[in-house]
Amino acid sequence: MERWKGMLYLFGAFTLAGSSVITGSLLNGKLGAFTITAISLLLALMILIPMCFRELVRSFGRRARVNWPQLLLQSVFGMFLFRMFMLFGLSHTSAAEAGIITGATPALTVLLARLVLKEPVNRFSLTGIASTVSGIILIQGLFPQGNSFTLQHLIGNMLVLFAAASESVFNILSRRSSLRSGGPSEQPVDPAVQTTLVSAMAFLLCLVPAGFENPLRSLAGIGWEEWLALVWYGPFVTALAFVLWYAGIHRCDASTAAAFSGMMPFTALVLSVVLLRQQAGVEQWAGGLLVAAGMVLIGVNQTRTGGKRVKAVTAD
């Protein structure tokens, strides 16, 4: 039951995370990347701090041990670097294409889970990884039909790929932290508290560079649509999505999270076509199908291994 609850949490977390591509595209060019991140995090903290103030105070006591270095790394990779790479990448590529490229996250997470957490990788996972990599290569335009694919476009796609890699590192860091916490004499940190602390650290990281982007002048010049996008980026894409993420990763392994991270490209692609009216070409759709196939194969592998674990526990 807990594992199913964890998968439901992960589904919601990555569905919301996929909308960050569209939000970033709407704000890009109107506000600086660091300003977007800082304001969205500030809005998220305005919701999070009152919501979990009591638990936040308790976490500084003896009931739960806060691993500050781990939380700092999670804030750097999961919020700061992910958003910086994504926002700068969206300056050179489309939201639809960026959304598909985030489909590299499942394969990268599975590889890191094997290397760092020693989670098993079988032929289903390997085939899923190969399918994802093939899709990314196709999307990158390394086999182009024309000459429309520019160097700037390639740079944009590579930056989005770095964002996917940052997300994968964050996934592994979160799972490793979850495995090391929650001992018999220690109470795990509440998901909302983790989200608050990580958001606060990322906010502080953005403050200085945001100051060089003339944030006050930029914010004064945006309309209600941009403010609405910032509100969505903060309380929903940051606060709610990360609370769901931490609740899910406490109940599932990193490879299961990898399978559900495929919701990011799916959500981003659908929203970019529906809301932004962007067109995806044959190469993008073909690459997207390969990425989706990789996600399904990794998900099938999790279903199989999950069943084996249940049998093993029953046999014991």
Side-chain angles (χ1 to χ4, degrees), residues 3 303-316:
R3 188 168 183 270
T303 303
R304 287 166 57 89
T305 56
K308 290 179 180 178
R309 289 170 190 159
V310 171
K311 291 179 181 178
V313 171
T314 304
D316 291 341

Side-chain angles (χ1 to χ4, degrees), residues 18 20 44-45 50 57 94 120 146-147 170 208 219 268:
S20 66
L45 288 170
V57 172
S94 68
N147 297 320
F170 168 74
V208 173
L219 289 169

Side-chain angles (χ1 to χ4, degrees), residues 46-188:
M46 291 171 64
I47 300 295
L48 287 167
I49 293 176
M51 182 180 70
C52 65
F53 183 75
R54 290 185 179 179
E55 286 297 326
L56 192 63
V57 172
R58 290 174 183 172
S59 296
F60 286 94
R62 295 181 178 179
R63 292 186 59 198
R65 185 180 65 187
V66 179
N67 191 325
W68 295 105
Q70 281 287 335
L71 289 180
L72 178 59
L73 287 173
Q74 290 172 34
S75 70
V76 169
F77 286 96
M79 290 189 181
F80 184 77
L81 288 180
F82 173 78
R83 296 187 181 201
M84 291 308 102
F85 284 134
M86 180 63 70
L87 290 171
F88 285 124
L90 285 169
S91 300
H92 306 292
T93 191
S94 68
E97 206 159 332
I100 297 173
I101 293 172
T102 59
T105 303
L108 293 171
T109 302
V110 168
L111 286 174
L112 289 174
R114 174 58 181 169
L115 295 173
V116 178
L117 303 179
K118 308 301 180 185
E119 291 185 4
V121 180
N122 59 20
R123 68 176 184 273
F124 281 93
S125 293
L126 290 175
T127 306
I129 292 169
S131 179
T132 301
V133 172
S134 299
I136 296 302
I137 291 175
L138 193 58
I139 294 169
Q140 290 288 346
L142 300 184
F143 306 108
Q145 300 297 322
N147 297 320
S148 59
F149 199 88
T150 65
L151 177 61
Q152 290 296 316
H153 196 169
L154 176 62
I155 291 173
N157 284 359
M158 290 303 299
L159 287 171
V160 175
L161 190 58
F162 290 154
S166 298
E167 177 71 17
S168 298
V169 173
F170 168 74
N171 293 346
I172 299 302
L173 289 170
S174 301
R175 180 56 182 169
R176 187 170 67 174
S177 177
S178 175
L179 291 172
R180 291 181 176 180
S181 66
S185 61
E186 174 187 334
Q187 180 174 331

Side-chain angles (χ1 to χ4, degrees), residues 170-238:
F170 168 74
N171 293 346
I172 299 302
L173 289 170
S174 301
R175 180 56 182 169
R176 187 170 67 174
S177 177
S178 175
L179 291 172
R180 291 181 176 180
S181 66
S185 61
E186 174 187 334
Q187 180 174 331
V189 180
D190 183 81
V193 172
Q194 286 184 280
T195 303
T196 303
L197 295 176
V198 169
S199 300
M201 292 178 181
F203 173 70
L204 293 176
L205 289 172
C206 293
L207 275 183
V208 173
F212 292 96
E213 295 177 339
N214 295 320
L216 296 179
R217 181 185 301 175
S218 300
L219 289 169
I222 63 175
W224 67 268
E225 292 182 347
E226 288 76 21
W227 277 109
L228 188 61
L230 283 171
V231 170
W232 178 261
Y233 210 4
F236 293 95
V237 176
T238 300

